[in-house]
Amino acid sequence: MLIVGAKGFAKEILETFHQLDQIESIVFYDDVNEDIGDYLYSRFPILNNEAAVNNLFIKNNQFTIGIGNPILRFKLYKKFTGLGGKFVSTISPTAQIGNYEVTIGEGSNVLDNSIFSNSVVIGKGCIVYYNAILTHDCIVGDFVEISPSAILLGRCQVGNFSQIGANATILPDIKIGVNVIIGAGATVTKDIPDNCIAFGSPAKIIRELEPLIF
Ligand SMILES: CC(C)(COP(=O)(O)OP(=O)(O)OC[C@H]1O[C@@H](n2cnc3c(N)ncnc32)[C@H](O)[C@@H]1OP(=O)(O)O)[C@@H](O)C(=O)NCCC(=O)NCCS
């Protein structure tokens, strides 16, 4: 299993594998930080080139992404599936996942103590952090980040590449667009359109963002 990245969020994903007792074959990838060394925690190899990944993928082509930024996650998803990788999810054993009609897309990382009610859908490449709560009938797009202790109330929708800040609360039926950043601690009481930053209680749009172009 390859974890793409070897710094902050990659260490959090490692903990999930540890909890699952699946650390035997863990390998990291980092071709950006030159000071990173050959091993993380003096134990887990860190690859830094595509040839090494190609070799690894002959034996085991599973990878997940240990980097938080949604756009970077998307680009790395494209790169490593292009190398023949299979994008896989990680779900902490302490996450509580509803038993009825819950869909978690490929490559999503669900961290400790998050709660999914029933009839919840999240797309691919998402991060659902510690203690986040997704209540019934929420629909979350691809490469979305739900930060620690954020709460999505009934039937909320969150568009692709959006980030919901720590401790933010999204009220029932609210639709949040694509490429939106909701600030930490916000209370979102009205729909939020694509490409903007909003924060506060009630949340107000404070800045427009350039639409994403890939
Ligand atoms: C909303 C956010 C994206 C704004 O970032 P930014 O554009 O860089 O804003 P700045 O830090 O320059 O702050 C601009 C102003 O907004 C205020 N502000 C920033 N974030 C705020 C928030 N969440 N709620 C209320 N006010 C906020 C600042 O105090 C500052 O006010 P001032 O102009 O009176 O000094 C960011 O502050 C935030 O909340 N990000 C979410 C972080 C998070 O939850 N991460 C989880 C990672 S796991």
Side-chain angles (χ1 to χ4, degrees):
M1 167 66 70
L2 183 69
I3 299 178
V4 179
K7 290 210 156 185
F9 186 60
K11 296 175 179 175
E12 309 203 64
I13 298 298
L14 174 64
E15 190 56 26
T16 300
F17 284 109
H18 184 95
Q19 293 165 351
L20 294 166
D21 199 15
Q22 293 176 6
I23 55 169
E24 282 316 309
S25 62
I26 296 291
V27 175
F28 289 85
Y29 182 89
D30 186 333
D31 63 3
V32 177
N33 297 292
E34 288 173 2
D35 59 341
I36 196 95
D38 294 331
Y39 291 89
L40 184 59
Y41 301 126
S42 309
R43 171 169 183 179
F44 302 100
I46 303 175
L47 309 183
N48 62 9
N49 61 77
E50 288 185 14
V53 173
N54 287 333
N55 268 337
L56 178 74
F57 279 177
I58 292 168
K59 288 172 277 177
N60 179 349
N61 70 342
Q62 295 191 325
F63 77 98
T64 198
I65 300 178
I67 289 170
N69 177 280
I71 313 298
L72 210 45
R73 286 173 71 80
F74 175 71
K75 289 182 175 165
L76 291 165
Y77 152 73
K78 297 294 268 183
K79 172 175 172 166
F80 284 85
T81 48
L83 292 172
K86 179 173 162 43
F87 195 29
V88 297
S89 296
T90 62
I91 301 178
S92 164
T94 67
Q96 295 176 49
I97 311 291
N99 289 293
Y100 299 93
E101 297 188 352
V102 175
T103 303
I104 296 176
E106 59 178 331
S108 288
N109 303 116
V110 177
L111 299 182
D112 302 8
N113 300 315
S114 51
I115 299 177
F116 288 54
S117 182
N118 289 325
S119 304
V120 168
V121 176
I122 71 167
K124 67 176 164 225
C126 294
I127 299 175
V128 179
Y129 270 99
Y130 312 112
N131 301 312
I133 301 176
L134 285 68
T135 67
H136 67 92
D137 299 288
C138 286
I139 301 175
V140 171
D142 295 334
F143 298 96
V144 169
E145 180 177 359
I146 311 286
S147 298
S149 299
I151 302 176
L152 272 55
L153 294 171
R155 299 171 299 275
C156 282
Q157 296 185 23
V158 181
N160 298 341
F161 300 105
S162 289
Q163 296 167 261
I164 310 298
N167 272 308
T169 300
I170 318 299
L171 293 193
D173 297 302
I174 295 297
K175 292 185 177 62
I176 291 178
V178 171
N179 187 33
V180 170
I181 300 176
I182 301 296
T187 307
V188 183
T189 59
K190 294 189 174 143
D191 291 354
I192 304 287
D194 297 347
N195 306 310
C196 64
I197 299 180
F199 63 64
S201 295
K204 304 277 184 214
I205 296 171
I206 52 127
R207 203 159 72 230
E208 306 289 330
L209 295 172
E210 290 297 319
L212 298 172
I213 300 168
F214 297 107

